[in-house]
Amino acid sequence: MRGKGKGSTRKLDNGKWECIVQSQYINPDSKGLNPKRIKRTGKTEKEAQKNASQALLAWEKDFERTLKNNKVERNRSFGSYMEEFIETEVKQYVSASTYKSYIYTMRANFFNYKISKLSLKSLSTVEFEVFFDALLKKKSEKTVSFPVQLCRRCCDWLVAKSLISENYAMYAKTKRKKRDEYFRAEEDEKRTRKEVFSREDIAKFYHAYKNNMSEYCPAIIIMLETMMRGQELLALTIDDIDFEQNIIHIRSALSERFVDNDKDKGIEKYIKVPKNGKEREIYMTPLAREAVEYIIHQTALKCRDNPQKLLFPSYLKHGKIRSMDAFEIQFKDLCNKL
Protein backbone atom coordinates (compact mmCIF):
# COMPACT_ATOMS: atom_id res chain seq x y z
CA MET A 1 0.00 0.00 0.00
CA ARG A 2 1.22 3.50 -0.77
CA GLY A 3 -0.03 6.85 0.46
CA LYS A 4 1.24 10.31 -0.27
CA GLY A 5 4.48 10.77 1.65
CA LYS A 6 3.90 7.44 3.42
CA GLY A 7 6.15 5.20 1.26
CA SER A 8 5.45 1.57 0.44
CA THR A 9 4.34 -0.65 3.32
CA ARG A 10 3.80 -4.38 3.71
CA LYS A 11 3.05 -6.77 6.53
CA LEU A 12 5.85 -9.21 7.33
CA ASP A 13 5.48 -12.87 8.25
CA ASN A 14 6.41 -12.12 11.87
CA GLY A 15 3.42 -9.79 12.20
CA LYS A 16 5.41 -6.54 12.01
CA TRP A 17 5.07 -3.92 9.30
CA GLU A 18 7.79 -2.69 6.97
CA CYS A 19 7.91 0.69 5.24
CA ILE A 20 10.25 1.84 2.46
CA VAL A 21 10.50 5.57 1.68
CA GLN A 22 12.37 7.27 -1.13
CA SER A 23 14.36 10.49 -0.90
CA GLN A 24 14.28 13.43 -3.26
CA TYR A 25 18.09 13.11 -3.40
CA ILE A 26 20.16 10.64 -5.39
CA ASN A 27 22.17 8.15 -3.34
CA PRO A 28 25.87 9.12 -3.84
CA ASP A 29 26.84 5.44 -3.56
CA SER A 30 24.68 4.51 -6.58
CA LYS A 31 26.91 6.55 -8.94
CA GLY A 32 24.16 9.08 -9.54
CA LEU A 33 21.58 6.56 -10.78
CA ASN A 34 19.15 5.80 -7.95
CA PRO A 35 17.48 7.86 -5.25
CA LYS A 36 18.24 7.12 -1.61
CA ARG A 37 15.82 4.65 -0.02
CA ILE A 38 15.35 3.89 3.66
CA LYS A 39 13.60 0.91 5.20
CA ARG A 40 12.13 0.75 8.69
CA THR A 41 9.85 -1.61 10.60
CA GLY A 42 7.23 -1.13 13.29
CA LYS A 43 4.59 -2.97 15.29
CA THR A 44 1.88 -1.25 13.24
CA GLU A 45 1.72 0.18 9.74
CA LYS A 46 1.52 3.70 11.17
CA GLU A 47 4.57 3.13 13.38
CA ALA A 48 6.60 1.75 10.47
CA GLN A 49 5.69 4.78 8.33
CA LYS A 50 6.61 7.15 11.14
CA ASN A 51 9.97 5.44 11.75
CA ALA A 52 10.82 5.46 8.03
CA SER A 53 9.81 9.10 7.53
CA GLN A 54 11.79 10.19 10.61
CA ALA A 55 14.90 8.32 9.45
CA LEU A 56 14.61 9.72 5.93
CA LEU A 57 14.26 13.28 7.17
CA ALA A 58 17.32 12.85 9.40
CA TRP A 59 19.33 11.43 6.49
CA GLU A 60 18.31 14.27 4.15
CA LYS A 61 19.27 16.95 6.65
CA ASP A 62 22.67 15.33 7.17
CA PHE A 63 23.12 14.91 3.41
CA GLU A 64 22.33 18.58 2.78
CA ARG A 65 25.05 19.48 5.27
CA THR A 66 27.75 16.96 4.26
CA LEU A 67 26.78 15.75 0.75
CA LYS A 68 27.69 12.25 1.96
CA ASN A 69 25.65 9.07 2.36
CA ASN A 70 26.15 8.82 6.12
CA LYS A 71 24.45 5.94 7.83
CA VAL A 72 21.63 6.76 10.25
CA GLU A 73 22.67 4.83 13.36
CA ARG A 74 19.47 3.50 14.87
CA ASN A 75 21.04 1.96 17.98
CA ARG A 76 23.43 4.76 18.89
CA SER A 77 23.02 5.79 22.54
CA PHE A 78 21.64 9.08 23.80
CA GLY A 79 24.85 9.46 25.81
CA SER A 80 26.96 9.43 22.64
CA TYR A 81 24.76 12.13 21.13
CA MET A 82 25.11 14.14 24.35
CA GLU A 83 28.90 13.92 24.00
CA GLU A 84 28.66 15.12 20.39
CA PHE A 85 26.30 17.93 21.41
CA ILE A 86 28.68 19.18 24.12
CA GLU A 87 31.70 18.96 21.81
CA THR A 88 30.10 20.64 18.78
CA GLU A 89 27.42 22.96 20.19
CA VAL A 90 28.49 23.85 23.73
CA LYS A 91 32.28 23.74 23.94
CA GLN A 92 32.91 26.58 21.50
CA TYR A 93 30.86 29.05 23.56
CA VAL A 94 32.32 28.46 27.04
CA SER A 95 35.72 28.94 28.66
CA ALA A 96 38.12 26.03 29.12
CA SER A 97 37.44 25.89 32.87
CA THR A 98 33.66 25.92 32.31
CA TYR A 99 33.96 23.14 29.73
CA LYS A 100 35.92 21.06 32.22
CA SER A 101 33.23 21.72 34.83
CA TYR A 102 30.51 20.65 32.37
CA ILE A 103 32.27 17.36 31.64
CA TYR A 104 32.84 16.55 35.32
CA THR A 105 29.24 17.42 36.22
CA MET A 106 27.78 15.25 33.46
CA ARG A 107 30.07 12.34 34.31
CA ALA A 108 28.75 12.42 37.86
CA ASN A 109 25.11 13.17 37.05
CA PHE A 110 24.31 11.78 33.60
CA PHE A 111 26.67 9.29 31.98
CA ASN A 112 26.41 6.87 34.92
CA TYR A 113 22.60 6.69 34.63
CA LYS A 114 20.44 4.43 32.45
CA ILE A 115 19.17 7.33 30.30
CA SER A 116 22.61 7.77 28.69
CA LYS A 117 22.66 4.11 27.56
CA LEU A 118 19.27 4.20 25.80
CA SER A 119 19.01 4.42 22.01
CA LEU A 120 17.08 7.37 20.60
CA LYS A 121 14.13 5.13 19.67
CA SER A 122 13.87 4.12 23.36
CA LEU A 123 13.66 7.69 24.65
CA SER A 124 10.36 8.89 26.06
CA THR A 125 8.98 11.44 28.47
CA VAL A 126 8.64 8.67 31.08
CA GLU A 127 12.34 7.75 30.82
CA PHE A 128 13.35 11.36 31.45
CA GLU A 129 10.96 11.61 34.40
CA VAL A 130 12.54 8.48 35.93
CA PHE A 131 16.01 9.96 35.39
CA PHE A 132 15.15 13.39 36.85
CA ASP A 133 13.49 11.84 39.92
CA ALA A 134 16.45 9.48 40.49
CA LEU A 135 18.77 12.51 40.47
CA LEU A 136 16.59 14.47 42.89
CA LYS A 137 16.67 11.63 45.41
CA LYS A 138 20.46 11.88 45.63
CA LYS A 139 21.36 15.46 44.69
CA SER A 140 20.17 18.99 45.45
CA GLU A 141 17.88 20.85 43.07
CA LYS A 142 20.74 23.19 42.16
CA THR A 143 22.95 20.25 41.17
CA VAL A 144 20.14 18.57 39.23
CA SER A 145 19.22 21.73 37.30
CA PHE A 146 22.30 21.58 35.07
CA PRO A 147 21.93 18.03 33.64
CA VAL A 148 18.18 18.68 33.26
CA GLN A 149 18.77 21.82 31.20
CA LEU A 150 21.49 20.15 29.12
CA CYS A 151 19.18 17.19 28.39
CA ARG A 152 16.50 19.60 27.16
CA ARG A 153 18.96 21.51 25.00
CA CYS A 154 20.37 18.29 23.56
CA CYS A 155 16.86 17.06 22.74
CA ASP A 156 16.14 20.36 20.97
CA TRP A 157 19.29 19.77 18.92
CA LEU A 158 18.19 16.21 18.09
CA VAL A 159 14.73 17.45 17.05
CA ALA A 160 16.36 20.01 14.74
CA LYS A 161 18.35 17.17 13.16
CA SER A 162 15.12 15.12 12.87
CA LEU A 163 16.66 12.32 14.92
CA ILE A 164 13.75 12.40 17.39
CA SER A 165 10.24 13.67 16.76
CA GLU A 166 9.79 15.76 19.91
CA ASN A 167 11.65 17.10 22.93
CA TYR A 168 10.77 14.43 25.50
CA ALA A 169 12.95 16.02 28.19
CA MET A 170 11.05 19.30 27.96
CA TYR A 171 7.73 17.62 28.81
CA ALA A 172 9.11 15.47 31.62
CA LYS A 173 7.83 16.39 35.06
CA THR A 174 9.37 15.34 38.34
CA LYS A 175 7.58 13.94 41.37
CA ARG A 176 9.08 16.64 43.55
CA LYS A 177 6.53 17.81 46.10
CA LYS A 178 4.98 21.12 45.15
CA ARG A 179 5.45 24.02 47.52
CA ASP A 180 2.62 25.57 49.44
CA GLU A 181 1.76 28.81 47.65
CA TYR A 182 1.31 30.55 51.00
CA PHE A 183 4.96 29.96 51.93
CA ARG A 184 6.45 30.40 48.45
CA ALA A 185 7.96 33.86 49.11
CA GLU A 186 9.44 32.71 52.42
CA GLU A 187 10.96 29.59 50.86
CA ASP A 188 12.42 31.59 47.96
CA GLU A 189 14.02 34.01 50.41
CA LYS A 190 15.57 31.14 52.38
CA ARG A 191 16.83 29.47 49.22
CA THR A 192 18.59 32.59 47.94
CA ARG A 193 19.91 33.79 51.30
CA LYS A 194 23.68 33.62 51.59
CA GLU A 195 25.09 31.63 54.49
CA VAL A 196 27.72 33.75 56.24
CA PHE A 197 29.94 33.31 59.26
CA SER A 198 28.85 34.95 62.50
CA ARG A 199 31.07 37.21 64.61
CA GLU A 200 31.69 34.21 66.86
CA ASP A 201 32.82 32.16 63.86
CA ILE A 202 35.23 34.90 62.77
CA ALA A 203 36.64 35.01 66.30
CA LYS A 204 37.30 31.26 66.12
CA PHE A 205 39.22 31.65 62.86
CA TYR A 206 41.23 34.50 64.41
CA HIS A 207 42.00 32.27 67.39
CA ALA A 208 43.15 29.51 64.99
CA TYR A 209 45.33 32.02 63.14
CA LYS A 210 46.94 33.36 66.32
CA ASN A 211 47.60 29.84 67.60
CA ASN A 212 49.04 28.65 64.27
CA MET A 213 46.55 25.77 63.93
CA SER A 214 47.08 25.59 60.17
CA GLU A 215 49.26 27.30 57.56
CA TYR A 216 45.99 28.06 55.76
CA CYS A 217 44.62 30.17 58.64
CA PRO A 218 46.10 33.53 57.51
CA ALA A 219 44.87 32.92 53.95
CA ILE A 220 41.35 32.25 55.27
CA ILE A 221 41.54 35.43 57.39
CA ILE A 222 42.37 37.42 54.22
CA MET A 223 39.38 35.91 52.41
CA LEU A 224 37.03 36.68 55.28
CA GLU A 225 38.31 40.25 55.60
CA THR A 226 38.30 41.08 51.87
CA MET A 227 35.62 38.72 50.44
CA MET A 228 38.22 37.63 47.91
CA ARG A 229 37.56 34.35 46.05
CA GLY A 230 39.81 31.40 46.81
CA GLN A 231 40.91 31.13 43.18
CA GLU A 232 41.96 34.78 43.27
CA LEU A 233 43.91 34.44 46.49
CA LEU A 234 45.91 31.46 45.22
CA ALA A 235 46.87 33.41 42.08
CA LEU A 236 48.05 36.48 44.02
CA THR A 237 51.68 37.48 43.68
CA ILE A 238 53.70 39.69 46.01
CA ASP A 239 53.68 42.34 43.26
CA ASP A 240 49.88 42.49 43.60
CA ILE A 241 50.24 43.86 47.14
CA ASP A 242 50.61 47.63 47.43
CA PHE A 243 51.49 48.43 51.05
CA GLU A 244 51.84 52.18 50.37
CA GLN A 245 48.26 52.46 49.10
CA ASN A 246 47.15 49.64 51.42
CA ILE A 247 45.38 47.79 48.60
CA ILE A 248 45.47 44.40 46.87
CA HIS A 249 45.26 44.31 43.08
CA ILE A 250 43.09 41.42 41.84
CA ARG A 251 44.41 40.75 38.34
CA SER A 252 43.98 37.00 37.89
CA ALA A 253 42.50 33.78 39.28
CA LEU A 254 43.53 30.14 39.44
CA SER A 255 41.51 27.68 37.38
CA GLU A 256 41.73 24.22 35.82
CA ARG A 257 41.15 22.91 32.30
CA PHE A 258 41.83 19.85 30.18
CA VAL A 259 45.20 19.77 28.47
CA ASP A 260 44.68 21.13 24.94
CA ASN A 261 41.00 21.50 25.95
CA ASP A 262 40.61 17.77 25.25
CA LYS A 263 38.49 15.83 27.75
CA ASP A 264 40.48 12.65 27.08
CA LYS A 265 43.67 14.28 28.35
CA GLY A 266 44.71 15.22 31.87
CA ILE A 267 43.98 18.32 33.94
CA GLU A 268 46.28 21.31 34.12
CA LYS A 269 46.21 24.47 36.23
CA TYR A 270 46.22 27.84 34.51
CA ILE A 271 45.80 31.50 35.38
CA LYS A 272 42.83 33.36 33.94
CA VAL A 273 41.15 36.72 34.39
CA PRO A 274 38.96 37.16 37.50
CA LYS A 275 35.38 35.89 37.39
CA ASN A 276 33.82 39.18 36.27
CA GLY A 277 36.47 39.61 33.58
CA LYS A 278 37.83 42.81 35.13
CA GLU A 279 40.71 43.71 37.40
CA ARG A 280 39.80 45.35 40.69
CA GLU A 281 41.34 46.72 43.87
CA ILE A 282 40.56 45.65 47.43
CA TYR A 283 41.28 47.72 50.52
CA MET A 284 43.22 45.91 53.25
CA THR A 285 41.77 46.14 56.72
CA PRO A 286 44.35 46.16 59.51
CA LEU A 287 43.70 42.45 60.12
CA ALA A 288 43.97 41.60 56.40
CA ARG A 289 47.26 43.51 56.17
CA GLU A 290 48.59 41.70 59.22
CA ALA A 291 47.71 38.32 57.65
CA VAL A 292 49.32 39.30 54.33
CA GLU A 293 52.53 40.32 56.08
CA TYR A 294 52.50 37.10 58.09
CA ILE A 295 52.13 34.97 54.91
CA ILE A 296 54.99 36.85 53.20
CA HIS A 297 57.19 36.20 56.24
CA GLN A 298 56.25 32.48 56.36
CA THR A 299 56.83 32.09 52.62
CA ALA A 300 60.31 33.60 52.94
CA LEU A 301 61.10 31.13 55.75
CA LYS A 302 59.54 27.93 54.38
CA CYS A 303 59.66 28.24 50.59
CA ARG A 304 63.15 27.65 49.21
CA ASP A 305 62.18 28.71 45.69
CA ASN A 306 59.32 30.96 44.56
CA PRO A 307 59.90 31.76 40.86
CA GLN A 308 56.42 33.17 40.28
CA LYS A 309 56.64 35.37 43.41
CA LEU A 310 53.35 33.89 44.63
CA LEU A 311 51.95 35.28 47.86
CA PHE A 312 50.87 31.86 49.16
CA PRO A 313 52.77 29.13 47.25
CA SER A 314 53.05 25.49 48.26
CA TYR A 315 55.81 25.17 50.83
CA LEU A 316 56.29 21.47 50.08
CA LYS A 317 56.55 21.74 46.30
CA HIS A 318 59.14 24.51 46.03
CA GLY A 319 56.94 27.45 45.19
CA LYS A 320 54.35 25.79 42.95
CA ILE A 321 50.85 27.20 42.96
CA ARG A 322 48.50 25.46 45.38
CA SER A 323 45.43 23.63 44.06
CA MET A 324 41.90 24.76 44.87
CA ASP A 325 41.00 21.18 45.84
CA ALA A 326 43.72 21.13 48.50
CA PHE A 327 42.62 24.56 49.74
CA GLU A 328 38.99 23.43 50.10
CA ILE A 329 40.01 20.25 51.95
CA GLN A 330 42.12 22.22 54.43
CA PHE A 331 39.37 24.82 54.86
CA LYS A 332 36.71 22.18 55.63
CA ASP A 333 39.08 20.39 57.98
CA LEU A 334 39.70 23.59 59.90
CA CYS A 335 35.95 24.32 60.08
CA ASN A 336 35.37 20.86 61.57
CA LYS A 337 38.07 21.41 64.19
CA LEU A 338 36.63 24.80 65.16
Side-chain angles (χ1 to χ4, degrees):
M1 295 178 288
R2 183 189 294 273
K4 184 177 181 181
K6 301 289 182 69
S8 298
T9 59
R10 68 187 180 105
K11 194 168 186 178
L12 304 176
D13 293 338
N14 61 8
K16 291 186 177 182
W17 285 81
E18 179 186 82
C19 178
I20 300 176
V21 289
Q22 181 173 295
S23 173
Q24 58 180 315
Y25 299 117
I26 299 297
N27 186 343
D29 297 340
S30 69
K31 298 181 181 180
L33 299 176
N34 301 313
K36 173 70 177 181
R37 291 179 180 174
I38 286 182
K39 181 193 300 183
R40 290 291 185 270
T41 60
K43 295 179 181 179
T44 64
E45 180 182 13
K46 186 175 181 180
E47 182 180 304
Q49 290 172 342
K50 179 183 177 181
N51 292 343
S53 298
Q54 186 80 29
L56 178 63
L57 189 55
W59 181 87
E60 288 184 335
K61 285 191 174 181
D62 187 68
F63 177 74
E64 290 168 354
R65 183 173 58 85
T66 66
L67 297 180
K68 294 181 179 179
N69 181 26
N70 295 320
K71 183 179 179 181
V72 178
E73 301 177 72
R74 286 181 282 177
N75 296 318
R76 185 178 166 188
S77 69
F78 177 51
S80 70
Y81 280 108
M82 177 64 79
E83 285 186 302
E84 181 183 342
F85 172 68
I86 293 174
E87 291 297 313
T88 60
E89 303 296 319
V90 176
K91 182 178 178 179
Q92 59 183 317
Y93 299 111
V94 298
S95 67
S97 58
T98 301
Y99 168 64
K100 176 249 179 184
S101 176
Y102 279 16
I103 295 298
Y104 271 48
T105 300
M106 294 302 282
R107 283 176 180 174
N109 302 295
F110 173 77
F111 289 108
N112 55 345
Y113 284 82
K114 174 189 172 185
I115 192 79
S116 71
K117 311 298 189 297
L118 295 178
S119 64
L120 295 189
K121 64 181 180 181
S122 300
L123 292 180
S124 66
T125 299
V126 173
E127 290 291 351
F128 279 102
E129 288 177 346
V130 170
F131 168 54
F132 294 163
D133 285 330
L135 271 182
L136 279 170
K137 286 181 180 179
K138 297 180 179 180
K139 310 292 177 71
S140 67
E141 288 188 36
K142 183 177 180 180
T143 300
V144 171
S145 65
F146 177 73
V148 168
Q149 290 302 319
L150 214 54
C151 280
R152 290 171 176 169
R153 289 173 58 191
C154 184
C155 282
D156 264 341
W157 176 69
L158 291 170
V159 169
K161 293 168 71 70
S162 295
L163 291 170
I164 58 175
S165 58
E166 57 183 313
N167 189 333
Y168 305 112
M170 186 64 71
Y171 300 116
K173 298 184 182 298
T174 65
K175 296 177 182 178
R176 177 168 50 87
K177 185 178 180 181
K178 292 185 177 180
R179 295 180 292 168
D180 189 323
E181 291 293 327
Y182 182 77
F183 297 105
R184 180 182 292 272
E186 181 181 341
E187 289 184 8
D188 283 342
E189 193 275 331
K190 285 183 179 180
R191 181 171 55 83
T192 57
R193 184 188 305 156
K194 297 291 184 182
E195 299 268 344
V196 298
F197 290 117
S198 66
R199 289 179 179 272
E200 290 75 17
D201 294 329
I202 301 296
K204 290 178 182 179
F205 282 112
Y206 183 74
H207 171 79
Y209 158 58
K210 283 298 185 181
N211 288 274
N212 200 24
M213 291 179 62
S214 166
E215 66 183 29
Y216 285 82
C217 285
I220 293 170
I221 289 292
I222 294 172
M223 289 175 59
L224 294 174
E225 286 289 295
T226 64
M227 301 307 294
M228 190 186 307
R229 297 180 177 91
Q231 294 92 334
E232 295 169 343
L233 185 142
L234 294 179
L236 277 181
T237 68
I238 295 175
D239 292 337
D240 293 325
I241 313 300
D242 186 340
F243 287 108
E244 289 187 6
Q245 299 294 324
N246 205 47
I247 57 176
I248 300 174
H249 297 277
I250 306 298
R251 300 187 175 101
S252 55
L254 173 67
S255 192
E256 291 183 338
R257 63 187 175 194
F258 293 113
V259 176
D260 298 330
N261 212 21
D262 184 339
K263 63 182 174 61
D264 295 322
K265 295 186 178 180
I267 298 295
E268 65 178 358
K269 299 185 186 74
Y270 77 107
I271 301 298
K272 65 175 186 178
V273 295
K275 187 172 182 178
N276 294 328
K278 296 180 180 179
E279 296 183 7
R280 69 184 191 281
E281 296 176 350
I282 296 178
Y283 171 76
M284 285 191 289
T285 63
L287 180 54
R289 181 177 178 126
E290 177 187 325
V292 167
E293 291 173 338
Y294 179 81
I295 289 179
I296 292 175
H297 177 67
Q298 291 298 305
T299 297
L301 290 176
K302 299 179 180 180
C303 190
R304 288 182 290 175
D305 189 20
N306 187 9
Q308 296 175 275
K309 299 178 68 176
L310 294 169
L311 174 68
F312 188 48
S314 172
Y315 299 148
L316 298 177
K317 296 184 178 180
H318 311 301
K320 290 186 178 180
I321 194 166
R322 296 175 188 261
S323 73
M324 197 59 210
D325 287 341
F327 190 94
E328 289 177 351
I329 290 171
Q330 293 294 330
F331 180 69
K332 290 177 182 178
D333 182 60
L334 183 60
C335 286
N336 292 334
K337 288 179 180 178
L338 297 178

